[in-house]
Amino acid sequence: MASVYELFYWPTLQGRGELIRLALEEAGVDYIDVARLPVERGGGIPALMRILRSETDVHPPFAPPILKVDGMLVAQTANILMFLGARHGLVPEDESSRLWANQLQLTLSDVVAEVHDTHHPIATSLYYEDQKAEALRRTTLFLDARLPKLLGYFERILSKNTGSAGRHLVGDELSYVDLSAFQLIAGLRYAFPRAMKRIEPDIDGLVSLHDVVAARPRIAAYLASERRLPFNQDGLFRHSAELDLP
Ligand SMILES: N[C@@H](CCC(=O)N[C@@H](CS)C(=O)NCC(=O)O)C(=O)O
């Protein structure tokens, strides 16, 4: 019998949970986005809180996204993707490619954390309004130096992957790292359209990768569905006029 995947993530955001949703969608498996079910059907934030506050789990996760399957609770985005990738053909089979995919995914997680810190540079517990000056300073430095450097790194990895003619980050076929790279470009375009306009001419491989992923039949169907939440001001990628610097 096929495993039933239960994803636990904040119900109104794409956030890091989106990297897991994209892998589940591309794999074509059935999954339940538990916190998006109504509370009366066992969903909502209470479902997430039950897991985070559980006293009985032997391996309790610290933060979402969390995947529950076959009696296991798996957390940490890169860890979940390593697991799903191996199960559903979203990563090559050999050990060295799997390590490489995980390494790239962890680097992508670092980028995601830096994006988050543009709007919350001091503390997640403080409102954006209470750290606006620091956010502006942080975003300026991020967009000027860090973002071109980080995206330039992934662009270099694409161009070195000659086996795939520069079409994929790992191996010859689509991997979960490609799916996450798609989400990174989409999120950055939403949050920082002006800076991305400046940077995109230097990362044409990543831009093509974004388009190739978006056109994959399962991903295209997902993006057009109600399962895909829109970007918004509560997620990782936020757009504000004052941080949308050129
Ligand atoms: N390194 C973790 C970070 C997880 C994380 O920061 N999750 C956020 C949502 S995207 C959260 O709800 N954190 C709660 C907390 O840190 O207390 C991962 O990649 O999954």
Side-chain angles (χ1 to χ4, degrees):
M1 208 171 65
S3 302
V4 176
Y5 291 106
E6 291 179 278
L7 171 66
F8 292 80
Y9 193 70
W10 302 109
T12 55
L13 321 177
Q14 292 189 8
R16 289 177 175 86
E18 197 63 15
L19 305 184
I20 311 302
R21 293 188 184 111
L22 286 166
L24 290 165
E25 293 282 346
E26 176 62 29
V29 295
D30 285 333
Y31 70 98
I32 304 166
D33 205 338
V34 180
R36 290 181 68 187
L37 295 175
V39 175
E40 51 282 6
R41 284 179 52 207
I45 289 177
L48 186 49
M49 287 303 152
R50 274 195 294 280
I51 292 220
L52 293 175
R53 294 180 183 154
S54 165
E55 294 291 334
T56 52
D57 287 318
V58 183
H59 297 154
F62 177 72
I66 301 157
L67 192 69
K68 187 173 178 185
V69 63
D70 297 347
M72 297 182 285
L73 282 180
V74 189
Q76 286 288 354
T77 308
N79 196 37
I80 300 172
L81 289 172
M82 185 171 69
F83 167 74
L84 284 175
R87 273 196 163 195
H88 296 290
L90 291 173
V91 70
E93 290 201 349
D94 61 289
E95 186 177 47
S96 113
S97 297
R98 287 190 174 179
L99 275 174
W100 176 229
N102 189 43
Q103 182 176 323
L104 286 179
Q105 190 66 40
L106 287 165
T107 307
L108 206 139
S109 292
D110 293 344
V111 184
V112 162
E114 290 201 30
V115 170
H116 170 271
D117 289 352
T118 59
H119 49 79
H120 279 77
I122 301 297
T124 321
S125 54
L126 292 178
Y127 289 113
Y128 167 63
E129 282 64 29
D130 297 328
Q131 44 193 322
K132 270 177 107 164
E134 294 89 348
L136 182 59
R137 211 168 159 209
R138 177 91 189 212
T139 303
T140 305
L141 293 165
F142 175 72
L143 295 178
D144 281 356
R146 289 296 286 175
L147 189 58
K149 183 176 178 183
L150 289 159
L151 292 179
Y153 171 74
F154 283 97
E155 183 70 17
R156 187 151 62 91
I157 299 312
L158 266 183
S159 68
K160 280 176 175 289
N161 192 14
T162 45
S164 81
R167 282 181 298 114
H168 298 295
L169 284 159
V170 178
D172 298 346
E173 309 287 334
L174 180 103
S175 75
Y176 64 81
V177 190
D178 292 334
L179 298 173
S180 292
F182 155 80
Q183 178 66 7
L184 180 64
I185 297 297
L188 288 168
R189 282 178 173 171
Y190 170 77
F192 305 115
R194 295 176 74 203
M196 285 303 279
K197 206 167 171 202
R198 163 174 55 88
I199 295 168
E200 282 194 26
D202 296 326
I203 54 159
D204 51 347
L206 281 173
V207 170
S208 306
L209 175 62
H210 166 280
D211 297 348
V212 165
V213 170
R216 289 185 71 89
R218 284 175 178 160
I219 297 297
Y222 168 62
L223 296 178
S225 76
E226 288 188 355
R227 298 191 301 288
R228 170 79 166 184
L229 293 162
F231 287 109
N232 63 34
Q233 289 308 90
D234 300 320
L236 272 171
F237 297 102
R238 300 188 190 186
H239 179 84
S240 61
E242 66 268 25
L243 298 184
D244 183 13
L245 306 168

